[in-house]
Amino acid sequence: RMPILEQCYNLMDFEAVAKNVMKKTAWAYYSSGADDEITMRENHNAYHKIWFRPRVLQDVEHIDTSTTMLGTKVSMPFYVTATALGKLGNPEGEVILTRGAKKHNVIQMIPTLASCSFDEICDAAEDGQCQWLQLYVNKNRDITKRIVQHAEKRGCKGLFITVDAPQLGRREKDMRSKFSDVGSSVQSSSGDDVDRSQGAARAISSFIDPSLSWKDIPWFLSITKMPIILKGVQCVEDVIRAIESGVQGVVLSNHGGRQLDFARSGIEVLSEVMPVLRERGWQDRIEIYVDGGVRRATDILKALCLGAKGVGIGRPFLYAMSAYGLPGVDRAMQLLKDEMEMNMRLIGCSKISDLNPTLVDVRGLSMH
Ligand code: FNR
């Protein structure tokens, strides 16, 4: 029997329910990672290698979890990251995530491969609600330019270019499920003929340009005033290159373990990146985000202590939406908020700007 919503006490609980109630093909698409799924597993496990060094007697009566991301004030330091094919999990699709994000004043990143059309997702947002666009770069740059400029006109406040997917990863669980209704599940892909024998992911991604390179960044900077953020950066050399190329941010991400297996977790990469940036005095030249495996407020707090501006969360909101619709997404976000307040209190921080590297012990990470 399906547990009632009030019996979900943390983000992992939604996953267990979703697995039972979702269609097999949909579950395969959402839950799969690349190859042996080692990176997917490590994304969350890496957080278990970091421990807190709380400070006591800090007057934590009032806790403020709010912060800013790319200049937008948000109530909590996470955003709903872009995940394709929302209608696989819920017939209403991504607009449910839009409404949940609105209720909790957090940002939603709209995927290129959403099930709802881009305009439907924008229309579902209320006045002043911040959304970002996740971009898969089309081989046809006229199409890319049109998508970007339309997003800017509709008020998107950030352009997240996915750079870790020149080719879609091999997600075997997804391939085995031989996805058959892909065509009807995606609105905004290129409309190319799809090969359905390769699973949902590969079927919809043939338009993505594998020749994309650093040389293209000036062009992106020239076609939009939105801040540009590279999503899927995985080492400090590329963070430095991103800063030098003039973009405003990076997401340290391995695409939720769906691309290169044995890519390191975002939190591991963050611990490589920040000391180098601090050494150069460059830590304020770029906003650094992390995603992958974030399931607890303690995960969020660890990333922020190490220097992230915010974190992206993907699957947990998909699972909450698939299992319970908007009330599920609402509860998932509320649980995170409650966890945030309690854990900030317990580590002795009353506001986000109090978080700093001395509050964590990272000797267990493999870098150290
Ligand atoms: C994704 N992700 C993703 N990223 C992206 O840039 N474009 C996309 O279309 C998608 N689609 C997508 C679908 C599904 C089902 C998942 C689970 C993920 C990756 C996503 O933005 C993010 O990097 C990860 O989901 C973060 O990991 P967690 O929170 O899911 O563990």
Side-chain angles (χ1 to χ4, degrees):
R1 266 198 56 206
M2 182 164 160
I4 57 167
L5 181 55
E6 288 67 29
Q7 290 172 303
C8 288
Y9 292 110
N10 60 48
L11 266 49
M12 283 71 77
D13 288 345
F14 291 97
E15 177 170 351
V17 178
K19 183 173 184 175
N20 282 325
V21 303
M22 286 177 72
K23 276 206 280 189
K24 243 184 103 188
T25 47
W27 169 258
Y29 178 67
Y30 284 2
S31 67
S32 56
D35 297 2
D36 299 310
E37 304 190 336
I38 308 298
T39 287
M40 186 169 80
R41 184 189 71 200
E42 279 305 300
N43 273 351
H44 182 63
N45 286 351
Y47 284 96
H48 297 171
K49 300 176 186 170
I50 302 173
W51 299 78
F52 287 113
R53 306 176 70 248
R55 304 304 300 268
V56 296
L57 301 175
Q58 296 294 311
D59 181 359
V60 287
E61 187 180 0
H62 302 289
I63 301 290
D64 179 1
T65 62
S66 70
T67 185
T68 61
M69 295 186 193
L70 301 171
T72 297
K73 180 140 195 211
V74 291
S75 71
M76 285 177 279
F78 68 79
Y79 57 88
V80 180
T81 190
T83 49
L85 302 185
K87 283 188 185 172
L88 290 184
N90 188 297
E92 284 189 75
E94 293 81 6
V95 296
I96 291 181
L97 301 174
T98 313
R99 294 185 196 117
K102 171 66 193 173
K103 177 146 192 226
H104 289 273
N105 187 25
V106 297
I107 296 170
Q108 174 190 28
M109 191 192 297
I110 302 175
T112 294
L113 294 175
S115 298
C116 300
S117 73
F118 176 81
D119 281 322
E120 282 171 332
I121 302 173
C122 285
D123 291 344
E126 288 173 40
D127 277 352
Q129 179 174 353
C130 180
Q131 291 173 313
W132 293 332
L133 174 68
Q134 176 269 325
L135 183 72
Y136 277 135
V137 178
N138 198 300
K139 288 171 191 156
N140 180 336
R141 290 301 148 80
D142 291 337
I143 295 178
T144 293
K145 184 174 175 182
R146 211 179 323 125
I147 292 172
V148 169
Q149 295 187 334
H150 181 65
E152 181 167 351
K153 206 169 90 209
R154 293 288 331 243
C156 278
K157 295 279 184 287
L159 176 64
F160 286 67
I161 304 175
T162 299
V163 294
D164 59 11
Q167 172 177 355
L168 263 271
R170 190 182 155 88
R171 304 154 196 170
E172 294 169 10
K173 211 190 297 168
D174 181 41
M175 291 164 81
R176 285 195 184 95
S177 85
K178 292 254 198 289
F179 204 80
S180 58
D181 43 347
V182 172
S184 58
S185 294
V186 65
Q187 281 271 322
S188 47
S189 71
S190 67
D192 294 341
D193 277 349
V194 298
D195 174 4
R196 286 166 187 184
S197 69
Q198 295 290 297
R202 290 200 164 178
I204 58 177
S205 62
S206 55
F207 69 93
I208 299 173
D209 186 357
S211 80
L212 188 68
S213 82
W214 291 102
K215 291 196 205 107
D216 295 299
I217 303 299
W219 180 76
F220 283 103
L221 290 166
S222 79
I223 62 164
T224 181
K225 292 195 175 62
M226 288 186 284
I228 292 177
I229 299 87
L230 305 182
K231 176 177 182 290
V233 170
Q234 305 185 39
C235 66
V236 66
E237 290 89 335
D238 280 350
V239 174
I240 287 169
R241 192 135 189 206
I243 294 171
E244 288 170 344
S245 71
V247 302
Q248 281 93 333
V250 292
V251 186
L252 305 178
S253 166
N254 53 44
H255 213 111
R258 296 162 75 82
Q259 288 296 103
L260 175 67
D261 205 11
F262 294 95
R264 294 175 298 165
S265 69
I267 190 75
E268 182 98 37
V269 176
L270 181 68
S271 79
E272 167 182 286
V273 167
M274 293 313 296
V276 177
L277 293 194
R278 288 200 184 95
E279 211 172 282
R280 295 181 173 222
W282 282 16
Q283 67 274 16
D284 296 325
R285 286 187 54 179
I286 196 163
E287 290 195 2
I288 304 218
Y289 296 90
V290 172
D291 79 20
V294 175
R295 301 291 179 266
R296 288 280 190 186
T298 47
D299 301 338
I300 302 175
L301 292 169
K302 288 169 185 177
L304 266 66
C305 284
L306 288 177
K309 190 75 181 158
V311 303
I313 300 180
R315 291 185 186 85
F317 297 137
L318 283 180
Y319 295 144
M321 175 184 91
S322 303
Y324 299 102
L326 179 58
V329 176
D330 179 18
R331 182 164 172 91
M333 291 181 178
Q334 186 62 45
L335 287 169
L336 277 176
K337 184 163 182 61
D338 296 344
E339 284 188 18
M340 279 291 290
E341 284 174 4
M342 183 188 74
N343 287 297
M344 282 176 71
R345 204 167 266 130
L346 295 179
I347 63 175
C349 292
S350 53
K351 54 187 188 306
I352 296 296
S353 58
D354 292 342
L355 299 167
N356 71 76
T358 70
L359 294 168
V360 284
D361 177 347
V362 293
R363 286 174 299 171
L365 282 179
S366 59
M367 295 293 308
H368 296 268

